[in-house]
Amino acid sequence: MAEPAPGVGHTDSMNSHDDPDKLADGKKKKSRRPANTAFRQQRLKAWQPILTPKTVLPLFFAIGIIFAPIGGLLIWASSTVQELQIDYSTCNTDAPNATAFGDTTDFNMADSLITSAFKSDTKVNAQWRHELVNHTYHGDYVVQNVSKCVISFILPDDMEAPVLFYYRLTNFYQNHRRYVSSYYDKQLLGDDVNTESSVSDSSCTPLTVDSDRGNLPYYPCGLIANSMFNDTFFSPVYTTDNNTPYVLQNSSNIAWSSDNELYGNLPDTQDLSKILPPPNWQKQYPNNSYTESAPPPNLKDNQAFQVWMRTAGLPTFSKLYARNDTATMKSGTYQIEILSEFPVTEYQGTKSIVFTTKSVIGGKNPFLGIAYVVVGGICIVLGAIFTVTHLIRPRKLGDHTYLSWNKVSNNAKPGSSGPSVGMSTGRDLA
């Protein structure tokens, strides 16, 4: 049998080794190998800085020099905000039941219920009392025995405009998963959604329709709307100057303009007999129903409702109720009346009123400034430590003796030529 010529008979085998993606019969085989491009093979140009003492140390000092003064300015800006917070959670039970203030100490509020921050650092004293009154809703509907809390407080310093008035709640979890999704966006936009099926199938669950009243849908439905903060605040009266009211406005400029676009009013053709107020709202309406004289609120114009519907991320939060952007709230004695109807003791929470000003960074909160100062201080301290270490025991850049596999094992006996860490790990020593 004749021998094949040299190289003949090995051609296919050699070709198959030269091109691993080609089979012996010349066909292309499928491959998961990425394309041979710089991007797919991770060969793109990149900048890899070499961290040396000359580059790292100035960076530490630069961060410290920049951050520390910024933090100081933020703390100073926060300190310029004047604020008065009064907790009236237990006014209905702890405050004296009286129609006027007296000279006894029974009316004095506990110091623990008052938190203040003013330029003069003067302690703020306050008194409270409560009484049951008849209050008129919607012009002609009278509700009897509404609890009214009256608080008298002394403002030690002037509060320059704008003066913001908040209510503050604690231990109220608006961020609960079921609570935060319980609303119907189409209904809030003013669509004619008064049928049982449309509201029942909405995300307002579990508060959609009233099964005891013919499955009539609630407007607005859902847990958020039903639990809306319903204490009523009246503008404080400046008793130092002939009971002059310090007017607080809450009809505009308290909600975000972006939130206002999410709401609309009901059409004029809406049949009010086909919708019901939420359970916690029904006390304010005759026969617990909407009527022509007591219609549902215009959600497009009700900014207090819009503020409440923007749920808070933490269980302790403040929501803007009213403001005065023009007049200074002068120092002296003020008296404010509150229709206290929102329950908080049932869930171990509290409610407070807050009068405050603002600075260029917003309200009173020194946390951001403290964080900047702490970070800046840490960077300066670390920079100083590293600088001293570098000056006393400098390390040669690129010295291979610092590599772990070039160091003798700690278990090796002095003077012995035992194996090093590099040998135990299979690395070759240089």
Side-chain angles (χ1 to χ4, degrees):
M1 186 174 181
E3 294 290 334
V8 179
H10 300 281
T11 306
D12 292 340
S13 177
M14 292 175 62
N15 290 340
S16 63
H17 286 293
D18 292 341
D19 189 356
D21 291 338
K22 185 177 293 186
L23 299 175
D25 57 0
K27 294 182 179 180
K28 191 78 171 180
K29 71 176 182 179
K30 294 182 180 180
S31 174
R32 294 183 180 180
R33 180 185 301 173
N36 189 19
T37 63
F39 178 77
R40 300 291 293 274
Q41 296 296 336
Q42 300 184 16
R43 294 195 302 266
L44 291 176
K45 294 182 179 180
W47 178 62
Q48 296 179 342
I50 300 176
L51 300 180
T52 64
K54 292 183 179 180
T55 58
V56 173
L57 294 179
L59 185 61
F60 272 105
F61 287 110
I63 293 176
I65 293 172
I66 294 174
F67 274 46
I70 292 178
L73 291 175
L74 293 176
I75 294 175
W76 172 82
S78 177
S79 66
T80 61
V81 175
Q82 301 187 94
E83 184 175 283
L84 173 62
Q85 177 179 323
I86 301 177
D87 184 344
Y88 68 100
S89 307
T90 58
C91 182
N92 297 348
T93 56
D94 294 351
N97 188 355
T99 57
F101 286 105
D103 296 331
T104 65
T105 58
D106 295 339
F107 295 94
N108 294 338
M109 297 185 68
D111 294 340
S112 59
L113 301 178
I114 306 170
T115 304
S116 61
F118 290 95
K119 297 177 181 178
S120 60
D121 198 23
T122 303
K123 176 184 175 182
V124 176
N125 296 318
Q127 294 183 321
W128 62 356
R129 59 181 174 85
H130 88 276
E131 57 181 305
L132 297 178
V133 298
N134 297 333
H135 184 68
T136 303
Y137 292 96
H138 311 291
D140 57 357
Y141 179 60
V142 179
V143 177
Q144 297 181 345
N145 297 328
V146 178
S147 182
K148 182 173 74 172
C149 182
V150 183
I151 300 177
S152 177
F153 58 91
I154 300 176
L155 205 65
D157 298 322
D158 292 347
M159 297 181 71
E160 300 291 338
V163 176
L164 309 178
F165 179 67
Y166 293 85
Y167 58 87
R168 180 179 176 86
L169 300 179
T170 64
N171 206 32
F172 192 100
Y173 288 82
Q174 274 198 315
N175 57 359
H176 190 280
R177 175 184 55 82
R178 195 175 190 186
Y179 179 93
V180 77
S181 61
S182 184
Y183 69 95
Y184 189 15
D185 53 349
K186 291 184 178 180
Q187 196 184 53
L188 298 178
L189 280 171
D191 292 348
D192 190 5
V193 284
N194 54 15
T195 61
E196 174 190 350
S197 59
S198 60
V199 177
S200 297
D201 296 337
S202 69
S203 57
C204 279
T205 303
L207 201 63
T208 55
V209 298
D210 190 338
S211 58
D212 296 332
R213 299 178 65 178
N215 289 331
L216 291 178
Y218 294 118
Y219 176 81
C221 64
L223 296 175
I224 308 177
N226 180 64
S227 62
M228 180 181 175
F229 187 79
N230 61 347
D231 280 5
T232 303
F233 303 99
F234 298 91
S235 293
V237 174
Y238 189 38
T239 58
T240 303
D241 185 14
N242 299 323
N243 293 333
T244 303
Y246 182 75
V247 180
L248 295 171
Q249 299 286 349
N250 66 350
S251 58
S252 62
N253 203 24
I254 64 171
W256 294 6
S257 58
S258 58
D259 286 351
N260 187 259
E261 299 173 358
L262 304 177
Y263 299 89
N265 297 329
L266 287 175
D268 296 335
T269 58
Q270 174 66 47
D271 186 356
L272 299 183
S273 64
K274 293 184 178 181
I275 56 177
L276 291 175
N280 288 350
W281 295 26
Q282 294 180 0
K283 178 182 178 181
Q284 303 177 8
Y285 293 90
N287 299 321
N288 299 330
S289 303
Y290 292 127
T291 62
E292 295 295 334
S293 59
N298 293 325
L299 302 185
K300 183 69 173 179
D301 306 322
N302 193 333
Q303 294 204 6
F305 178 79
Q306 298 170 18
V307 170
W308 178 258
M309 291 296 291
R310 174 168 283 277
T311 53
L314 299 174
T316 297
F317 57 86
S318 299
K319 290 184 179 287
L320 185 60
Y321 184 86
R323 61 190 298 162
N324 188 314
D325 295 323
T326 56
T328 298
M329 195 172 184
K330 298 180 180 179
S331 61
T333 303
Y334 288 85
Q335 183 172 296
I336 185 172
E337 297 181 353
I338 307 169
L339 297 183
S340 182
E341 300 182 277
F342 191 82
V344 292
T345 56
E346 284 80 351
Y347 61 89
Q348 290 79 46
T350 63
K351 56 183 178 180
S352 309
I353 57 173
V354 181
F355 292 93
T356 182
T357 59
K358 65 178 184 178
S359 65
V360 294
I361 62 170
K364 190 175 188 64
N365 189 350
F367 174 79
L368 185 61
I370 294 175
Y372 268 81
V373 170
V374 169
V375 171
I378 291 175
C379 288
I380 291 177
V381 171
L382 291 178
I385 293 175
F386 293 155
T387 301
V388 173
T389 303
H390 177 64
L391 294 176
I392 296 177
R393 297 182 60 184
R395 174 177 173 176
K396 182 181 178 181
L397 184 63
D399 190 348
H400 289 217
T401 60
Y402 284 96
L403 299 176
S404 61
W405 54 84
N406 285 338
K407 294 182 179 180
V408 178
S409 174
N410 294 330
N411 297 326
K413 296 181 180 180
S416 65
S417 58
S420 65
V421 175
M423 296 177 65
S424 65
T425 58
R427 297 181 183 272
D428 295 328
L429 297 179

